[in-house]
Amino acid sequence: MSTPEIRVEGLHKSFGDNHVLRGIDLEIGQGEVVCVIGPSGSGKSTLLRCVNLLEEPQQGTIVVGGTELTDPDVDIDAVRRRIGMVFQQFNLFPHLDVTENLTLPQRRVLGRDKAAAEKVAAENLARVGLADKAHAYPSSLSGGQQQRVAIARSLAMGPEVMLFDEPTSALDPELVGDVLAVMRGLAEEGMTMMVVTHEMTFAREVADRVVFMDGGVIVEQGTPEEVIGNPKNERTRHFLSRVLDPAMAEVDDVPGKTAE
């Protein structure tokens, strides 16, 4: 692996009595794309949110770009400027047009003047294929277009790392492809990316490494060919059989159902 851009060691996170992360160890190299897969409740999104301390772990170490986020004296705002985050929901300001949604954080957080911020906004809207929507309002955009605006907003901050928390899960199926195409382009540019996703085709084609989580631990990790194509662990095989061919799910797998 190349020099680690993200390093997680011995990470534990609980919500009350619910022990969500149980000693996670993970490294992501510079320019590496890692897709994190697993069933709902496995701890995937919690792990992602811990990487920029949106969730604070009870135990463990997180290092991003050589800076330890879990150091009590860390300037977390300075570190977060280097980490882009894209959520399931788009979180755009409805009363601002697309350009204003991109320039506001640049001006407030990075201190750029209006002209410089608008130039960066235009460059990144073009990057996600939405140069013609610069003055549109979010309500006039499809869900896929809004998510691409959200990606452009993160990119306008000049991040070294991009975190994606199931960025296509709130989209209609026909809108997923455009968002994944933008993410594929970022991967080709060499952006370090950690992606929580259920899109197995994207993980298979774009990821350098796939991490399968279940029950708050990393069960298996490796290349897409290893983890998706030829999983070694029975938990991984069971999960993939349901995701890749949901029509074949057993009756016993359906909550509240019993076989006749």
Side-chain angles (χ1 to χ4, degrees), residues 140-210:
S140 71
L141 303 178
S142 71
Q145 289 171 329
Q146 290 186 61
Q147 190 61 293
R148 284 190 280 156
V149 170
I151 294 172
R153 179 180 55 189
S154 288
L155 293 174
M157 304 296 286
E160 300 166 10
V161 172
M162 287 287 287
L163 309 177
F164 294 87
D165 187 5
E166 299 192 23
T168 61
S169 65
L171 302 179
D172 291 334
E174 69 270 19
L175 302 176
V176 168
D178 290 342
V179 173
L180 294 181
V182 168
M183 295 170 63
R184 184 178 285 108
L186 293 177
E188 292 172 354
E189 292 174 14
M191 176 67 74
T192 304
M193 297 165 59
M194 183 176 176
V195 185
V196 171
T197 185
H198 289 296
E199 300 290 343
M200 293 300 115
T201 299
F202 177 83
R204 191 191 296 269
E205 294 178 357
V206 179
D208 297 300
R209 188 155 39 103
V210 174

Side-chain angles (χ1 to χ4, degrees), residues 86-257:
V86 178
F87 300 89
Q88 297 177 36
Q89 302 301 324
F90 322 125
N91 300 320
L92 301 177
F93 293 111
H95 63 291
L96 301 179
D97 70 20
V98 165
T99 294
E100 291 167 332
N101 265 283
L102 267 67
T103 57
L104 181 64
Q106 294 182 64
R107 298 181 69 182
R108 288 193 175 178
V109 177
L110 302 180
R112 288 177 181 152
D113 63 33
K114 185 172 185 289
E118 288 181 347
K119 180 176 183 293
V120 172
E123 291 170 351
N124 283 288
L125 285 174
R127 199 172 174 186
V128 301
L130 291 174
D132 61 333
K133 301 295 184 182
H135 301 295
Y137 283 83
S139 61
S140 71
L141 303 178
S142 71
Q145 289 171 329
Q146 290 186 61
Q147 190 61 293
R148 284 190 280 156
V149 170
I151 294 172
R153 179 180 55 189
S154 288
L155 293 174
M157 304 296 286
E160 300 166 10
V161 172
M162 287 287 287
L163 309 177
F164 294 87
D165 187 5
E166 299 192 23
T168 61
S169 65
L171 302 179
D172 291 334
E174 69 270 19
L175 302 176
V176 168
D178 290 342
V179 173
L180 294 181
V182 168
M183 295 170 63
R184 184 178 285 108
L186 293 177
E188 292 172 354
E189 292 174 14
M191 176 67 74
T192 304
M193 297 165 59
M194 183 176 176
V195 185
V196 171
T197 185
H198 289 296
E199 300 290 343
M200 293 300 115
T201 299
F202 177 83
R204 191 191 296 269
E205 294 178 357
V206 179
D208 297 300
R209 188 155 39 103
V210 174
V211 173
F212 174 69
M213 288 185 64
D214 193 16
V217 300
I218 293 176
V219 175
E220 187 169 351
Q221 63 177 303
T223 66
E225 293 79 9
E226 291 168 340
V227 176
I228 299 177
N230 187 30
K232 296 179 175 62
N233 191 282
E234 177 57 33
R235 289 156 77 184
T236 315
R237 289 195 292 270
H238 179 71
F239 169 77
L240 289 169
S241 70
R242 298 196 67 195
V243 171
L244 298 176
D245 194 0
M248 296 303 292
E250 298 290 340
V251 172
D252 290 346
D253 291 336
V254 181
K257 294 290 186 180

